[in-house]
């Protein structure tokens, strides 16, 4: 990567510190990458780095939520997508370009029809992977009739992917490292087989509003719309051996979404719960977002169990002095100043 690109990446990460929502983050990243890879629309999707389930989302002039769902399901069902994100994450090439009409690799006819209906002529997708962890994906779009994305632009996007991940992590770690302070009971949604919300508790709207991905007018509609992160979660719940859980940073702290299939003969509905993420359920993802080492993560685990420094040292077979060194690093990364503050933050 050139010196100019490195300096530009530092500027992006700095800008990510100032944003207050995933939508703002997406706009910052789109404008930054647009200086070298012009595009007309984008979708930025982060995943929970532990479970791989959708975490936060930003889009502008991209596929509509309904079209994105059709493309995602179609790609999975047909199994002939030339660049599925699952394959791109395995590398070494993290980028793929798909065209509607121009030469090059393309989706099948049905999926190209969806692209054409959305006015999309070329799609560049980047799997956002760094240090062996999958953090999400970025999709850039150009309209039909515009110049397709080139190989040079694809190579440039791969080089810039690490800076995009760094910006996402800077945004996520800017959220208070504590459970959400939204004063609402847990929200519960029931999602039917047709992927519509068939029932919801009154508090569910407030919790979905915390995700800041549904316009206020849609959130106020009589029928609660299907939010993209919730949909991604219900899809995970319908697949066997998948962790149907995601932790999401918000302005007021972290929330956790869980999904599980409803029981009962012939039932194909999925129940989703939304509530503050606390303690041990928050720590696994937060440790990765904040860059805690495995030993630092173990120290925090023992702290949450109420163990003193000497007990932690015996359990980890290290000296109390080394435990204190780990504490200093943990405090610096998470942004607290003492053990009591760390516990209060994680346990709310």
């Amino acid at each position: 990567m050139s010196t100019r690109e490195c300096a530009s990446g530092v500027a992006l990460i700095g800008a990510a510190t100032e944003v207050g929502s995933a939508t703002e983050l997406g706009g910052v990243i789109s404008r930054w990458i647009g200086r070298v890879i012009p595009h007309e629309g984008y979708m930025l999707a982060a995943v929970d780095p532990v479970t791989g389930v959708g975490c936060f989302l930003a889009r502008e002039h991209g596929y509509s939520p309904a079209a994105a769902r059709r493309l995602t399901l179609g790609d999975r069902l047909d199994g002939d997508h030339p660049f599925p994100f699952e394959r791109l994450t395995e590398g070494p090439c993290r980028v793929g370009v798909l065209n509607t009409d121009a030469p090059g690799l393309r989706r099948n006819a049905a999926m190209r029809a969806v692209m054409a209906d959305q006015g999309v002529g070329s799609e560049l997708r980047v799997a956002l992977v760094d240090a062996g962890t999958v953090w999400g994906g970025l999709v850039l779009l150009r309209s039909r009739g515009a110049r397709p994305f080139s190989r040079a632009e694809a190579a440039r996007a791969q080089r810039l992917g690490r800076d995009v991940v760094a910006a996402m992590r800077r945004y996520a770690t800017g959220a208070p490292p504590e459970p959400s302070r939204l004063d609402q009971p847990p929200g519960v949604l029931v999602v039917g087989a047709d992927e519509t919300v068939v029932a919801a508790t009154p508090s569910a709207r407030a919790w979905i509003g915390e995700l800041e991905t549904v316009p206020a007018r849609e959130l106020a509609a009589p029928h609660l719309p299907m939010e993209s992160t919730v949909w991604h979660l219900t899809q995970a719940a319908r697949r066997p051996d998948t962790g149907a859980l995601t932790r999401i940073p918000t302005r007021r702290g972290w929330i956790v979404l869980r999904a599980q299939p409803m029981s009962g003969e012939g039932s194909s509905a999925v129940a989703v719960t939304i509530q503050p993420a606390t303690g041990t359920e928050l720590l696994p993802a937060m440790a990765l977002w904040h860059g805690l080492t495995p030993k630092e993560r173990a120290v925090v685990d023992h702290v949450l169990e109420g163990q003193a420094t000497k007990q932690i040292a015996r359990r980890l077979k290290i000296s109390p002095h080394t435990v204190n060194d780990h504490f200093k690093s943990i405090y610096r990364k998470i942004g607290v100043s003492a053990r009591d503050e760390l516990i209060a933050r994680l346990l709310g």
Side-chain angles (χ1 to χ4, degrees):
M1 183 176 291
S2 68
T3 302
R4 182 178 179 181
E5 287 177 332
C6 288
S8 178
V10 170
L12 170 66
I13 296 166
T17 305
E18 304 299 325
V19 303
S21 69
T23 299
E24 293 176 15
L25 174 69
V28 166
I29 290 174
S30 174
R31 290 189 294 273
W32 174 78
I33 206 169
R35 293 183 296 179
V36 291
I37 309 175
H39 54 276
E40 297 162 42
Y42 76 89
M43 290 184 295
L44 174 70
V47 299
D48 183 308
V50 179
T51 64
V53 179
C55 178
F56 56 81
L57 173 72
R59 61 156 62 90
E60 186 174 8
H61 305 306
Y63 296 119
S64 68
R69 289 197 286 268
R70 289 200 302 272
L71 289 171
T72 301
L73 287 176
D75 293 341
R76 287 176 180 165
L77 292 174
D78 296 335
D80 62 353
H81 193 297
F83 298 116
F85 270 113
E86 292 81 1
R87 189 185 307 161
L88 291 178
T89 59
E90 297 171 358
C93 181
R94 311 287 192 197
V95 182
V97 174
L98 301 167
N99 298 316
T100 306
D101 302 316
L105 292 174
R106 298 184 289 176
R107 284 183 164 107
N108 62 37
M111 297 300 98
R112 290 201 306 275
V114 176
M115 290 176 68
D117 180 65
Q118 294 283 296
V120 175
S122 188
E123 172 190 315
L124 185 154
R125 50 173 52 190
V126 188
L128 299 172
V129 183
D130 189 39
T133 299
V134 179
W135 300 97
L138 175 66
V139 174
L140 305 179
L141 302 174
R142 284 179 181 162
S143 62
R144 299 189 72 182
R147 175 178 61 85
F149 291 104
S150 66
R151 290 184 179 180
E153 288 172 323
R156 193 172 297 131
Q158 173 144 327
R159 292 198 303 272
L160 299 178
R162 179 173 294 180
D163 288 328
V164 174
V165 170
M168 293 165 60
R169 293 182 66 181
R170 182 62 61 89
Y171 164 73
T173 56
E178 61 191 19
S180 171
R181 301 185 302 276
L182 180 65
D183 186 18
Q184 291 284 336
V188 180
L189 306 170
V190 178
V191 179
D194 61 352
E195 298 300 343
T196 61
V197 178
V198 298
T201 59
S203 61
R205 289 180 186 270
W207 285 107
I208 291 179
E210 290 292 283
L211 304 179
E212 299 186 317
T213 54
V214 178
R217 64 182 183 279
E218 295 182 19
L219 198 58
H223 297 288
L224 196 61
M226 172 54 73
E227 194 276 334
S228 297
T229 305
V230 172
W231 179 80
H232 196 195
L233 188 68
T234 61
Q235 289 299 299
R238 296 183 193 281
R239 299 193 299 270
D241 303 322
T242 302
L245 177 150
T246 185
R247 288 146 286 215
I248 301 175
T250 73
R251 296 174 192 256
R252 282 188 276 208
W254 287 75
I255 64 176
V256 60
L257 280 71
R258 291 187 183 83
Q260 56 182 328
M262 300 281 284
S263 61
E265 184 177 351
S267 176
S268 55
V270 173
V272 177
T273 59
I274 315 174
Q275 61 191 64
T278 61
T280 54
E281 65 188 5
L282 171 58
L283 181 58
M286 197 180 73
L288 288 173
W289 284 112
H290 284 265
L292 299 188
T293 66
K295 192 60 67 74
E296 290 168 352
R297 158 74 191 279
V299 168
V300 178
D301 279 330
H302 292 308
V303 166
L304 293 180
E305 293 173 4
Q307 295 180 15
T309 298
K310 290 183 178 180
Q311 291 175 302
I312 296 173
R314 286 196 296 271
R315 291 285 295 273
L316 298 182
K317 298 180 180 179
I318 56 179
S319 71
H321 178 75
T322 301
V323 173
N324 286 327
D325 285 341
H326 286 313
F327 273 126
K328 293 176 184 177
S329 178
I330 292 165
Y331 298 160
R332 175 179 54 80
K333 291 177 180 179
I334 295 183
V336 298
S337 57
R339 177 199 294 247
D340 289 345
E341 185 182 358
L342 175 67
I343 296 172
R345 289 272 188 156
L346 290 175
L347 298 182

